[in-house]
Amino acid sequence: MKKANMLLDKEFVIGKIDNRIYGSFIEHLGRAVYNGIYEPGHASADEDGFRQDVMDLVKALKVPIIRYPGGNFVSGYNWEDGIGPLELRPKKLDLAWRTLETNEIGINEFAKWSKKVDAEVMMAVNLGTRGIAEACNLLEYCNHPQGTYYSDLRIKHGYLEPYKIKTWCLGNEMDGPWQIGHKTPMEYGRLALETGKAMKLIDPTIELVSCGSSNTAMPTFPEWEATTLEHTYDVADFISLHQYYGNRDNDTSNFLALSMDMDNFIQTVISTCDYVKAKKRSKKTINLSFDEWNVWFHSNASDDDTMKNNPWQKAPALLEDAYTFEDALLVGCMLITFIKHADRVKMACLAQLVNVIAPIMTENNGGAWKQTIFYPYLHASLYGRGIALNPIITTPKYDAKDFTDVPYLEATAVYNEENQEVTIFAVNRDLEEDMLLACDFRSFKDYELIEHLVLACNDLKAYNTLENQPVIPSNKGRSKVDHGRLETVLGKASWNVIRLGTQKK
Ligand code: AHR
């Protein structure tokens, strides 16, 4: 059995974790909104048509913030189409996904749903087909208390209280040629600066996210970040990062190493932000909003076919990836990567939340179930709050097709001072062998084992359906604690959550 060691100390601090790294995303896309969160005829629908079975699953995840309404969708969206009396709302072509948008759900309904699931809204504005005026009007509609055209319009629509939405994205993936209204970095930088400047005049309490690159393979990365930030640095608070991975070559050892690419992406964006900071002699630090991330590749071919050959449907099945067990392992590694960068990654959104590349799936008129990736996301959201620690780890390594020195053990630890708990998150990337991990955590006096949760499965390609759930966690992890030392066996190819605390359960 391979062996790894870990030294954990209270004093080895990376930084306070911003709970918003456990955010998610709902786009007007496929069955995310219609027949996802909203299905008025469903047996579990509440008085507003929202599925309560879905809300219960979202609430279980304790999702702190949800990005809305896109995504690519936002770059062609007229937010005014989704407000006011339902019968007057226009049906429109959504050019991003070539579907029919009925506008039954708009800003007010989404804000209502978010409140029901205890999440904040992260709102994106359209900088594709629209600009400064429309973004300002939307902000006035949402956040201004009363006495102006748009705030009074909101009140007229039945929403007296302003939403006080704090976080706003200045467009979406504006570097991507697929984006409606795609821009050069100069064009985007200028527009984002002027839009952000005007928005902060309306509400100086908001935080703004400047668009970064759509992924590491973009030819304009990282020049896009450097050029756009030269414009937006003073007005922006965050820069966005997006990244999706897939096991396209069916090479799992290489696939599981992809979080190293994500780590490198984060480090490069931090360096670029700090380069612009130095160039501008600025005292301000820009933080990172990794506001789209996940595994996404299973559904690519069928989606291309639907969009090309069967366009303009209402809520077709799009991006409905059925997530395998190995996908959940990579999602676990990606979550660990965020925790390791807790000092600069302050927001992140698992893309997406329901039906569309999602941890939660539904059947129209039927049940809802948890995909494999639901579990690492759940565990990190529940137990990954507090202070990110920097454990000193020694681990055996391997070489994969695209990466050298891949640690077999991917791990991090979080200290929750309030609950007097420390949680170790660990993935054993070894597909053949279990691993023995010895951890010295003696600075946490009198801490004992609470539980060791494990997600493991003999079949890397197993996935969950409504009827059959082969990938579910157990609390039967093999851990022993004795006087500040933990000895644990991390099963081959497994996600582990080892909870230590002063309250033995
Ligand atoms: O999340 C799906 C899509 O991925 C989003 O609409 C877009 O921003 C990204 O390319």
Side-chain angles (χ1 to χ4, degrees):
M1 208 186 301
K2 294 193 181 67
K3 290 192 176 130
N5 290 301
M6 180 186 283
L7 172 63
L8 261 187
D9 195 292
K10 260 190 190 147
E11 305 300 325
F12 300 172
V13 167
I14 296 173
K16 169 109 186 65
I17 293 170
D18 189 321
N19 292 342
R20 291 179 296 175
I21 67 168
Y22 304 118
S24 190
F25 178 27
I26 290 274
E27 178 167 0
H28 282 247
L29 195 184
R31 298 191 308 124
V33 173
Y34 307 111
N35 291 341
I37 64 171
Y38 177 74
E39 193 178 346
H42 192 272
S44 82
D46 70 3
E47 68 288 358
D48 296 310
F50 296 128
R51 280 183 65 154
Q52 297 188 70
D53 55 348
V54 173
M55 283 196 280
D56 288 345
L57 289 169
V58 174
K59 279 197 265 185
L61 287 167
K62 290 203 185 311
V63 185
I65 190 163
I66 304 180
R67 188 163 173 255
Y68 176 85
N72 296 338
F73 171 80
V74 80
S75 296
Y77 183 50
N78 285 1
W79 65 269
E80 303 88 334
D81 294 342
I83 55 172
L86 213 57
E87 61 283 5
L88 299 181
R89 296 189 190 179
K91 290 192 176 62
K92 290 262 179 96
L93 297 181
D94 159 34
L95 305 186
W97 304 104
R98 305 193 79 220
T99 57
L100 182 75
E101 174 55 54
T102 62
N103 286 303
E104 289 156 81
I105 296 287
I107 273 121
N108 293 311
E109 292 80 17
F110 187 74
K112 200 176 209 183
W113 179 80
S114 301
K115 200 163 174 213
K116 290 187 186 201
V117 297
D118 305 320
E120 266 180 60
V121 177
M122 177 195 287
M123 187 73 82
V125 302
N126 175 355
L127 292 189
T129 58
R130 310 186 94 195
I132 307 172
E134 296 85 355
C136 287
N137 296 344
L138 172 60
L139 177 60
E140 185 183 315
Y141 184 89
C142 291
N143 281 17
H144 197 71
Q146 57 168 33
T148 64
Y149 177 76
Y150 285 104
S151 57
D152 287 347
L153 189 59
R154 183 197 68 240
I155 293 169
K156 190 171 145 206
H157 291 154
Y159 304 93
L160 184 60
E161 290 304 318
Y163 294 123
K164 297 185 182 153
I165 295 172
K166 185 175 165 194
T167 315
W168 294 76
C169 302
L170 294 167
N172 176 71
E173 295 189 349
M174 300 309 302
D175 62 326
W178 59 86
Q179 202 68 214
I180 313 283
H182 167 221
K183 299 202 169 18
T184 66
M186 291 285 277
E187 288 167 344
Y188 173 72
R190 286 284 309 128
L191 179 59
L193 165 64
E194 293 304 327
T195 306
K197 203 167 83 185
M199 289 175 77
K200 282 199 168 170
L201 287 171
I202 296 172
D203 183 351
T205 68
I206 59 171
E207 290 182 332
L208 294 173
V209 185
S210 189
C211 257
S213 293
S214 299
N215 57 69
T216 47
M218 296 303 292
T220 46
F221 171 71
E223 190 49 42
W224 172 275
E225 280 74 2
T227 309
T228 57
L229 278 178
E230 296 236 356
H231 293 284
T232 61
Y233 202 91
D234 292 337
V235 86
D237 302 280
F238 297 89
I239 186 155
S240 71
L241 298 82
H242 291 180
Q243 187 69 53
Y244 297 97
Y245 294 117
N247 191 1
R248 293 192 172 80
D249 306 329
N250 196 18
D251 177 347
T252 303
S253 297
N254 197 53
F255 174 65
L256 294 182
L258 283 164
S259 57
M260 292 174 77
D261 178 71
M262 180 184 228
D263 188 86
N264 196 32
F265 188 14
I266 291 171
Q267 291 190 47
T268 306
V269 175
I270 291 172
S271 309
T272 312
C273 290
D274 294 349
Y275 156 76
V276 180
K277 177 181 183 176
K279 201 168 167 191
K280 286 187 167 284
R281 314 286 189 261
S282 176
K283 291 203 162 49
K284 172 179 168 186
T285 299
I286 298 279
N287 284 319
L288 278 54
S289 171
F290 215 120
D291 47 43
E292 286 189 35
W293 68 274
N294 204 344
V295 171
W296 172 20
F297 74 110
H298 297 284
S299 63
N300 291 170
S302 75
D303 293 340
D304 289 348
D305 181 64
T306 307
M307 286 189 281
K308 187 161 177 262
N309 300 318
N310 289 301
W312 318 128
Q313 301 178 61
K314 181 189 167 187
L318 285 175
L319 283 66
E320 299 206 357
D321 282 40
Y323 286 116
T324 60
F325 169 59
E326 67 184 19
D327 296 334
L329 293 179
L330 181 64
V331 162
C333 291
M334 291 164 96
L335 285 159
I336 290 173
T337 307
F338 293 139
I339 295 171
K340 283 174 160 179
H341 286 286
D343 53 338
R344 291 299 287 274
V345 178
K346 297 289 181 187
M347 296 195 286
C349 302
L350 174 67
Q352 298 191 10
L353 189 54
V354 182
N355 287 334
V356 169
I357 42 174
I360 298 167
M361 293 300 292
T362 70
E363 270 184 355
N364 294 354
N365 237 322
W369 72 98
K370 299 169 186 165
Q371 295 234 57
T372 61
I373 63 167
F374 184 95
Y375 296 107
Y377 180 45
L378 172 76
H379 295 153
S381 178
L382 293 187
Y383 307 122
R385 298 182 187 220
I387 311 260
L389 296 177
N390 187 12
I392 309 301
I393 294 172
T394 48
T395 168
K397 297 180 175 172
Y398 67 96
D399 289 342
K401 184 166 73 60
D402 300 318
F403 303 90
T404 46
D405 285 337
V406 183
Y408 276 112
L409 173 64
E410 185 61 77
T412 191
V414 175
Y415 173 35
N416 188 322
E417 212 168 353
E418 204 181 309
N419 299 351
Q420 294 287 291
E421 274 187 37
V422 174
T423 301
I424 298 169
F425 298 99
V427 171
N428 179 4
R429 287 193 177 100
D430 195 330
L431 305 177
E432 309 298 331
E433 272 184 43
D434 296 352
M435 175 189 288
L436 189 64
L437 170 65
C439 173
D440 179 337
F441 63 94
R442 279 174 292 174
S443 71
F444 293 96
K445 206 166 164 296
D446 299 330
Y447 275 50
E448 293 184 58
L449 182 69
I450 299 176
E451 63 178 345
H452 177 170
L453 300 165
V454 186
L455 192 67
C457 183
N458 285 333
D459 180 3
L460 290 169
K461 307 294 179 191
Y463 60 92
N464 294 342
T465 61
L466 183 57
E467 295 78 26
N468 196 12
Q469 306 268 308
V471 187
I472 51 168
S474 82
N475 63 358
K476 305 234 161 22
R478 291 169 277 171
S479 281
K480 270 190 330 218
V481 162
D482 186 23
H483 291 94
R485 290 175 195 272
L486 162 77
E487 269 207 4
T488 183
V489 177
L490 306 177
K492 64 178 183 182
S494 62
W495 160 257
N496 300 268
V497 181
I498 302 167
R499 297 177 58 215
L500 307 164
T502 50
Q503 304 284 310
K504 201 169 178 180
K505 303 234 161 97

